[in-house]
Amino acid sequence: MGNGTATADLDAALEKHRTELTGYCYRMLGSSFEAEDAVQDTLVRAWRSYDKFEGRSSLRSWLYRIATNVCLDMLTAGNKRARPMDLTESTPLAQAALSPRPDNTWLEPMPDARVLPTADDPAEAAVAKESVRLAFMAALQQLPPKQRAVLILREVLAWKASEVAELLGTSVASVNSALQRARATLAERADAGDEGAVSDPLDEEQQKLLERYVKAFEGYDMTALTALLHEDAIMTMPPFDLWLRGPADITGFMTTLGASCAGSRLLPVQVNGLPGFAHYKPDEEQGGFSPWAVQVLELSDGRITGFHCFLDTKRWFPLFGLPLHLEAEPDEVEKGE
């Protein structure tokens, strides 16, 4: 590399691709932290072998080749990440039990800012957002790793079949065939595109729905909440495999096992191309509010269809840059006295 300027230049050139590579590795792996590890590994490998990079392809496609190999190596263990409803049937509230499964079972949430590079083209930005939504991510996880790579490169990143063939060291015919098989698998999954009803940016009706949701949730008003939930709304709570369907079971859970969430505070977050909230619940010991969940909401036809609470706050809140404690507002302190 020779001198410090060249090193700094290479660092800057590699760093420029971090967000889009993180988005690619996240779609491949379904895990926020594994994606960040994979990108770090990719950039280190690129840095070390830069003298062998002869510029026959662009730096970007070379980085994607390294990232693809890193992800394929990580996926040889065969682990498919999932949502609770991909693994079990829904549980009636009367039988609700909270049994956790290991972290590596679950599809993980991801802040938009870490995976969605700023795109000048609104259509490109919309595709990028749709392709990190939970239902699409869960569908990707059903594909064998090579098909997953082909589908993401062709459909999400709009690479040509010849470019994908070169990257994977295979033929255009086999890329086309992998893409057909991947599309067929996704077509069988009815919910793979069911969050498409979320417009970007949110339209006025969706903004109002979210405002009503915050008011109903913070006020723990189950009648108001019921009015906002779709009749088939789903609630999930990873790391627990329990999931509930329908307003009666969801609000029933919130007033029994989840009763300690009354009086919570919600702060908006951008997560998986969907509206979400950092959920803080009252902290009985310290006062104020402590982290409870990152909520991801799916919307359709003016209702909430999915209500996904990721509870491992020690991992999620720092990832989203969220504080680990909220002070009570002065009027809340007075109310509590």
Side-chain angles (χ1 to χ4, degrees):
M1 200 77 22
N3 61 39
T5 316
T7 304
D9 287 351
L10 177 59
D11 279 346
L14 295 175
E15 199 54 43
K16 209 171 71 184
H17 296 282
R18 183 182 290 272
T19 306
E20 64 167 314
L21 287 171
T22 306
Y24 177 61
C25 294
Y26 175 60
R27 292 178 187 101
M28 284 291 288
L29 301 168
S31 158
S32 333
F33 297 105
E34 283 182 6
E36 302 216 318
D37 289 347
V39 172
Q40 201 51 40
D41 193 2
T42 298
L43 297 180
V44 168
R45 288 188 196 189
W47 209 93
R48 285 194 185 134
S49 55
Y50 188 70
D51 52 351
K52 298 193 195 79
F53 170 58
E54 292 157 5
R56 279 184 303 212
S57 60
S58 69
L59 177 66
R60 180 173 181 249
S61 51
W62 183 59
L63 287 171
Y64 269 93
R65 176 178 302 171
I66 299 171
T68 303
N69 289 331
V70 169
C71 290
L72 293 175
D73 287 348
M74 289 171 82
L75 288 166
T76 47
N79 179 36
K80 290 179 181 178
R81 287 173 177 268
R83 303 166 301 170
M85 57 276 202
D86 300 322
L87 300 180
T88 59
E89 294 299 313
S90 65
T91 314
L93 180 61
Q95 291 157 26
L98 295 177
S99 43
R101 294 202 191 191
D103 287 342
N104 66 0
T105 311
W106 304 117
L107 183 61
E108 297 180 344
M110 186 61 129
D112 286 2
R114 286 184 181 245
V115 289
L116 298 176
T118 39
D120 300 327
D121 174 5
E124 202 180 300
V127 168
K129 254 189 175 177
E130 282 165 23
S131 67
V132 291
R133 290 186 178 157
L134 296 173
F136 184 77
M137 288 285 299
L140 280 179
Q141 295 286 305
Q142 300 303 310
L143 301 174
K146 279 250 167 85
Q147 281 183 33
R148 210 179 294 182
V150 167
L151 184 94
I152 297 164
L153 291 163
R154 292 281 288 117
E155 305 269 285
V156 178
L157 301 172
W159 285 39
K160 297 187 180 86
S162 56
E163 295 169 327
V164 178
E166 193 183 330
L167 180 140
L168 292 172
T170 182
S171 67
V172 168
S174 86
V175 165
N176 288 337
S177 148
L179 182 60
Q180 275 181 315
R181 291 200 302 276
R183 280 177 176 158
T185 304
L186 292 195
E188 285 164 17
R189 288 180 62 94
D191 69 341
D194 68 356
E195 299 144 317
V198 181
S199 57
D200 178 33
L202 295 180
D203 63 31
E204 200 180 340
E205 186 194 12
Q206 290 166 343
Q207 289 285 12
K208 288 213 169 92
L209 174 63
L210 292 180
E211 284 163 22
R212 287 166 63 202
Y213 168 74
V214 170
K215 194 174 172 199
F217 194 95
E218 290 188 342
Y220 233 56
D221 178 342
M222 294 303 141
T223 309
L225 195 61
T226 298
L228 305 179
L229 292 171
H230 189 276
E231 62 192 34
D232 286 327
I234 282 172
M235 179 184 187
T236 66
M237 289 162 283
F240 301 115
D241 58 13
L242 168 77
W243 63 281
L244 300 163
R245 187 192 288 276
D249 276 3
I250 293 172
T251 56
F253 178 86
M254 287 171 66
T255 49
T256 53
L257 289 174
S260 61
C261 291
S264 289
R265 293 277 301 282
L266 300 179
L267 301 184
V269 291
Q270 300 296 312
V271 50
N272 285 83
L274 292 162
F277 294 94
H279 171 190
Y280 291 83
K281 72 176 187 175
D283 188 326
E284 301 300 333
E285 287 168 25
Q286 294 181 35
F289 300 86
S290 53
W292 182 247
V294 169
Q295 299 182 356
V296 186
L297 267 54
E298 293 163 350
L299 316 176
S300 185
D301 299 332
R303 291 276 185 277
I304 294 165
T305 53
F307 170 55
H308 306 290
C309 306
F310 293 90
L311 301 181
D312 191 353
T313 51
K314 284 192 178 65
R315 299 170 79 217
W316 304 133
F317 276 52
L319 184 74
F320 282 80
L322 291 160
L324 290 174
H325 188 76
L326 285 187
E327 294 304 328
E329 303 286 330
D331 59 336
E332 287 169 335
V333 174
E334 284 163 28
K335 269 188 275 184
E337 281 170 6

